[in-house]
Amino acid sequence: MDANHVTGPHAEGVILAVSLELSAAQWKVALHDGFREKPAVRMVSAPQANLRLQAVLELIAQHKQKWSLPSNELASRLMGWTPHPKRHQRAKVDVSKQPPDRGERPS
């Protein structure tokens, strides 16, 4: 198989491995399909995490096309994914309003 193009019966069995190193301002992305000597390493910077995620998904799509890898539904499903907003803290329970524990055991 040629390292630049994957075709024929082996094309569907190819897996694109993606590794992410996350930080607050930029993400380091490494892409590898198992046929190249070294992974493609790129930096993605954006002020918001959802923009960095979108850039990573576009980078994956570009490399799949560049390396002639088969497309799948996962990338298209992830394209619609957005990070969840920060969750609120759990409600605190006011123990003074709880019924007192009388130490009774059920019979």
Side-chain angles (χ1 to χ4, degrees), residues 17-96:
V18 180
S19 176
L20 300 171
E21 183 178 307
L22 310 175
S23 69
Q26 62 184 9
W27 294 353
K28 186 176 185 179
V29 183
L31 303 148
H32 198 273
D33 64 354
F35 295 104
R36 283 149 185 73
E37 190 172 321
K38 295 181 180 180
V41 179
R42 304 288 183 267
M43 298 298 286
V44 174
S45 299
Q48 296 174 336
N50 61 340
L51 297 175
R52 288 191 297 272
L53 177 63
Q54 187 64 40
V56 168
L57 294 174
E58 290 171 5
L59 186 64
I60 291 170
Q62 290 169 1
H63 275 79
K64 287 178 84 170
Q65 183 178 8
K66 178 181 175 181
W67 293 343
S68 300
L69 298 176
S71 62
N72 60 15
E73 295 177 20
L74 177 62
S76 59
R77 284 188 303 209
L78 287 175
M79 291 297 240
W81 181 84
T82 56
H84 291 288
K86 291 183 180 179
R87 302 187 120 202
H88 299 287
Q89 290 182 348
R90 291 185 179 182
K92 296 188 178 187
V93 177
D94 187 0
V95 292
S96 64

